[in-house]
Amino acid sequence: TSASTYDYIVVGGGTSGLVVANRLSELENINVLVIEAGGSVYDNVNVTDTGGYGNAFGTDIDWAYKTEDQEYGGGAPQTLRAGKALGGTSVINGMVYTRAQKSQIDAWETVGNKGWNWETLFPYYKKGEGFQVPSHYSWLEGSGVAYEPADHGYKGPLKVGWSSDQLNDGLAQKLNTTYQNMEIPIPYNKDANGGQMVGYTLYPKTVDSKLNIREDAARAYYYPYKSRSNLHVWLNANVNKLTWKTGNDVTADGVEVTLANGTTSTVKASREIILAAGSLKSPLLLELSGVGNPDVLSKYGIETKVNLPTVGENLQDQMNNGLAFDSKTKYTKAPDYVAYPSVSQVFLNATAVGKQLLANLPKYAAQVASANGNVTKSKDIERFFKIQWDLIFKAHIPVAEILLEPSGYTYDTEYWATVPFARGNVHISSADPTAAASIDPKYFMLDFDLQAQTQAARFIRELFQTEPFASMTGSETSPGLSSVAADADDEGWSSFIKNNYRSNFHPISTAAMMPKEVGGVVDTSLKVYGVSNVRVVDASVMPFQVCGHLQSTIYAIAERAADIIKAEN
Ligand code: FAD
C-alpha cells in the first residue's frame, strides 16, 4: 500500500528513524514514510551473529565514510563506519548498551536546553527497553552479570540483555578483584545504566538472549510492526534534499529521492520531514537543501534558504587504541569487560592536571574557533569547555572507557578517553548528493585529548601488573615494552597512539541541540532553527559526548522526539 502524500517522511531508517516512525504510526490516522538508502539485512549473518563484530565492515552495508587527512592525528585519513541498511548503524555496531552519567545529561540543560536532563530522559531509556532478566538464562549462572531492577524497562521493543558469549569461568570475578587491588581501587558497579557509571561492570548488550542473535532497530521497531497499513518503508532509496513550499516562512513540503532503479522524483509530506540519516549525513542534507553556512553553500552554487552557519560544526568523536597481552589460559569465547575510571583514578596528579587544563581552556576555545573560521565563537566554546571541565573534575564522570576482551591465548584491550575537547566538522564538498563529504573530526587537535588517551594506556599497563591478573598474563604483545618503554613519557607514547588509533565511531553534535545564539542547529523540540517543520532526531543533536556508548541515548532521544511530535500535532 502506498499513499501519494504522507503526513511525515522520516529520512533514514536507522537507529533513531525507526523509533520515531514506529511511535508516530501508533496513531492510526497518520501516514508515515521511511526512506532508507540501504536494504533489509534480516537474514544477513554478518548482522545477526553475536560474535561477528567487524564482519560487516567493508561490505556493502557499511558506508565507510573517509575523513580528511588528520593533521594532528597521524596524518592519514580515518574510516568512519556507519550502517547502510534498515536498522542503520545498529546492525553493525558492537551492541554495547550503556547510557551516560547522570550529570552529563544534566549538562544538556546547563548549556541551554530547558527540560533536557537526566530526570526527563531516564524514563525514555526505559520506555524503549525490553530488558531480559539474566536469571532466566541458565548459561549466565556464575558469569557475574548483575543488574538493578529499577534501572531497566521491561516492556519496550528493544531487547537488552546478555548473549551466550558470556564466560562463567571466574574471569569476571578475578578481574573485579584486580581492579580493587589497583593503586587507586576501581569499585565494582553492579549496574552502570542507572546514571552512575564509574567502576568495573558487566554491561548488557542489544541481543535477543533467547535466540542468541543481535537485536537492532529494525528487529525491535520495524519487523514486528510492518503490517501496520500506515507505516511505509522504501528501501534502497536515497534522499537527495528537501523540497520547499513557496511562501514567506520556510516550510518543507517533501523530499527529492532517487530510487533503486535510478529514477529521481519528489515525494510529499503534509506535516513534517524528520531527518534521521545519522550525524555524518543529516547536516549534509540540510546544506544540500540550502540550510547552512552561506560561505559553504555558495561555493557549490546552492542558494541560501536559511542562514544557519553552524550546520555541520561541533563534530565530536573519540579515538580508540588498544594494548594486547598474552594469556596463560586459552579462552574459547570472547566476551568483554568494562571499567569506567574517573579522572582521579587515571591521573595520580588529577588536581594539578585539572588546574593546567582549566588555564588552557581559553586557548583551546580560540583554537577551535579559528579552525572553523570563527563560525562557532570562542567565548561560547570556552563556556562549553568549562561545563565539560566541571563534569570531569567536579562531577567525576568516567574519563576513560577500558574494555578487556579475552580471546584464544590473548587479552585484547580497547580504550578511549571519553570526552575529547577537539571539535571538528562535516560539510558537503559538492552540490551532488552522491559525492563524498568533507569530514574532519580533528582528532588530537588539543593536547589534553592526547594526554588523557596516554594516561588511559598507562592505567591498562598497571591493571595487567596487578594481582591476580598479573599471574594470569604473559608479556605485552602490543605495543610491547620495546616499542613503548615501561617508563615512557607522554612523548614516548605519542607516536604509538597517533599511528595506531581508529575512530571510536561515536560522531555526534553536527546539528546540535542548543540555543541558536550559542551555535545550536535545533531547538529543544528538535526543530531546525528558521524552518517551520523539519526536525533532526539522530546522533547529530547531542550537544556533548556521553560516557556510555551512543545507541541507548539515541534510542531514548528518538523515543522522546516521537512524544514531542505527537504532542504538537
Ligand atoms: P544510523 O543508525 O546510522 O541511521 C542513519 C540511517 O540513515 C542509515 O540507515 C543510513 O543508511 C540512512 N541514510 C543515510 N543517508 C541517507 C539518505 N541520503 N537517504 C536515505 N537514507 C539515508 N553504540 C553503542 O551504543 N554500542 C556499541 O557497541 C556501538 N558500537 C559501534 C560500532 C561501530 C562500528 C559503529 C559504526 C558505531 C557503534 N556505535 C555503538 C554507535 C551507534 O551504533 C550509533 O551512534 C547509532 O547507531 C547511530 O544512530 P543514528 O540514528 O544517529 O544513525
Side-chain angles (χ1 to χ4, degrees):
T1 57
S2 129
S4 54
T5 297
Y6 300 87
D7 295 292
Y8 296 93
I9 294 176
V10 177
V11 179
T15 313
S16 54
L18 289 179
V19 175
V20 172
N22 175 308
R23 295 300 186 187
L24 291 179
S25 65
E26 288 174 342
L27 304 172
E28 282 170 19
N29 60 333
I30 291 292
N31 258 308
V32 182
L33 172 64
V34 177
I35 304 179
E36 167 53 44
S40 166
V41 288
Y42 191 81
D43 293 321
N44 184 331
V45 68
N46 289 339
V47 170
T48 52
D49 181 2
T50 57
Y53 181 66
N55 290 348
F57 295 177
T59 71
D60 61 0
I61 65 166
D62 174 12
W63 286 96
Y65 301 122
K66 282 275 176 292
T67 72
E68 300 292 322
D69 291 347
Q70 287 306 287
E71 183 180 351
Y72 313 95
Q78 289 283 326
T79 302
L80 295 186
R81 314 239 169 244
K84 183 181 185 179
L86 194 64
T89 303
S90 74
V91 310
I92 66 165
N93 72 14
M95 306 185 300
V96 175
Y97 186 90
T98 50
R99 294 169 181 163
Q101 182 97 357
K102 179 178 178 296
S103 52
Q104 290 187 295
I105 305 296
D106 290 343
W108 296 7
E109 186 154 54
T110 311
V111 82
N113 297 304
K114 197 160 182 296
W116 284 86
N117 53 47
W118 177 263
E119 202 184 302
T120 55
L121 198 61
F122 192 43
Y124 286 105
Y125 283 108
K126 295 204 270 189
K127 181 179 184 185
E129 184 182 16
F131 186 71
Q132 303 154 108
V133 175
S135 60
H136 295 173
Y137 302 94
S138 57
W139 66 79
L140 291 172
E141 225 167 275
S143 65
V145 305
Y147 72 106
E148 195 58 64
D151 293 343
H152 295 276
Y154 301 83
K155 295 190 180 137
L158 184 73
K159 294 191 176 81
V160 174
W162 287 270
S163 73
S164 67
D165 299 320
Q166 217 65 35
L167 283 166
N168 45 14
D169 62 350
L171 178 65
Q173 293 78 357
K174 283 178 198 142
L175 195 52
N176 186 22
T177 311
T178 309
Y179 274 120
Q180 318 249 351
N181 286 344
M182 286 181 77
E183 186 173 345
I184 300 177
I186 305 299
Y188 171 67
N189 186 0
K190 185 177 178 190
D191 195 328
N193 279 320
Q196 298 302 332
M197 299 190 68
V198 169
Y200 161 72
T201 195
L202 276 77
Y203 54 66
K205 294 190 167 190
T206 42
V207 291
D208 182 324
S209 295
K210 207 175 269 166
L211 301 179
N212 208 48
I213 57 173
R214 170 193 296 270
E215 176 79 342
D216 59 51
R219 272 185 195 272
Y221 283 91
Y222 177 67
Y223 293 114
Y225 305 90
K226 70 176 192 206
S227 64
R228 283 183 187 165
S229 61
N230 61 339
L231 175 58
H232 311 270
V233 172
W234 291 0
L235 296 179
N236 304 303
N238 266 280
V239 170
N240 300 329
K241 59 180 175 183
L242 308 173
T243 57
W244 303 108
K245 262 191 186 141
T246 48
N248 289 335
D249 61 342
V250 182
T251 303
D253 65 0
V255 298
E256 182 191 292
V257 56
T258 300
L259 302 176
N261 65 11
T263 59
T264 296
S265 60
T266 300
V267 52
K268 300 279 184 195
S270 57
R271 295 184 187 221
E272 293 190 10
I273 311 293
I274 294 157
L275 296 180
S279 57
L280 301 173
K281 266 290 172 66
S282 290
L284 307 179
L285 288 168
L286 288 173
E287 291 183 338
L288 290 164
S289 313
V291 180
N293 184 346
D295 292 344
V296 173
L297 306 189
S298 62
K299 255 194 266 176
Y300 309 108
I302 297 170
E303 191 195 328
T304 300
K305 194 87 185 157
V306 178
N307 181 343
L308 196 54
T310 53
V311 169
E313 298 297 334
N314 287 310
L315 172 60
Q316 299 166 51
D317 192 12
Q318 301 151 330
M319 297 79 80
N320 181 304
N321 282 103
L323 279 68
F325 300 81
D326 283 330
S327 163
K328 290 182 181 164
T329 42
K330 185 177 178 184
Y331 292 94
T332 52
K333 293 179 180 179
D336 38 36
Y337 301 90
V338 76
Y340 288 107
S342 71
V343 74
S344 52
Q345 291 161 335
V346 166
F347 287 95
L348 298 179
N349 54 341
T351 308
V353 170
K355 228 172 132 186
Q356 197 200 359
L357 176 60
L358 191 61
N360 279 335
L361 294 184
K363 189 182 78 184
Y364 283 1
Q367 234 176 305
V368 167
S370 119
N372 65 41
N374 298 302
V375 170
T376 56
K377 303 284 173 271
S378 183
K379 70 168 179 12
D380 297 325
I381 300 163
E382 193 179 327
R383 204 181 124 241
F384 307 156
F385 283 179
K386 180 58 173 39
I387 293 172
Q388 198 167 317
W389 188 94
D390 285 343
L391 288 171
I392 300 171
F393 292 93
K394 287 191 172 159
H396 287 268
I397 61 167
V399 76
E401 172 162 336
I402 312 291
L403 282 171
L404 186 134
E405 301 155 341
S407 86
Y409 280 104
T410 303
Y411 294 113
D412 281 316
T413 68
E414 279 182 53
Y415 75 89
W416 55 94
T418 50
V419 283
F421 282 79
R423 300 291 189 267
N425 49 37
V426 53
H427 291 297
I428 52 169
S429 62
S430 160
D432 173 1
T434 63
S438 163
I439 306 173
D440 190 359
K442 302 195 189 295
Y443 297 118
F444 297 109
M445 179 168 70
L446 304 171
D447 303 336
F448 179 76
D449 297 348
L450 176 62
Q451 208 183 333
Q453 196 74 357
T454 302
Q455 200 58 25
R458 293 196 179 105
F459 175 93
I460 292 173
R461 277 191 170 170
E462 192 205 324
L463 173 72
F464 279 84
Q465 282 158 17
T466 305
E467 292 298 348
F469 229 67
S471 304
M472 297 158 59
T473 42
S475 49
E476 180 186 299
T477 53
S478 175
L481 297 175
S482 58
S483 167
V484 179
D487 60 352
D489 59 9
D490 286 8
E491 196 46 46
W493 276 98
S494 157
S495 82
F496 164 70
I497 287 176
K498 289 186 172 182
N499 293 319
N500 293 284
Y501 76 102
R502 62 163 172 83
S503 163
N504 199 43
F505 308 136
H506 289 172
I508 60 158
S509 210
T510 51
M513 174 175 64
M514 292 195 293
K516 187 173 180 225
E517 53 289 3
V518 299
V521 171
V522 302
D523 65 18
T524 52
S525 65
L526 306 175
K527 264 195 189 151
V528 177
Y529 288 112
V531 185
S532 71
N533 66 341
V534 175
R535 295 187 216 240
V536 185
V537 299
D538 58 28
S540 317
V541 303
M542 295 170 66
F544 290 110
Q545 199 55 263
V546 289
C547 291
H549 297 229
L550 296 183
Q551 64 173 345
S552 62
T553 300
I554 293 169
Y555 280 116
I557 292 170
E559 284 281 8
R560 185 162 184 211
D563 268 2
I564 292 171
I565 298 168
K566 281 176 168 176
E568 277 185 32
N569 286 282

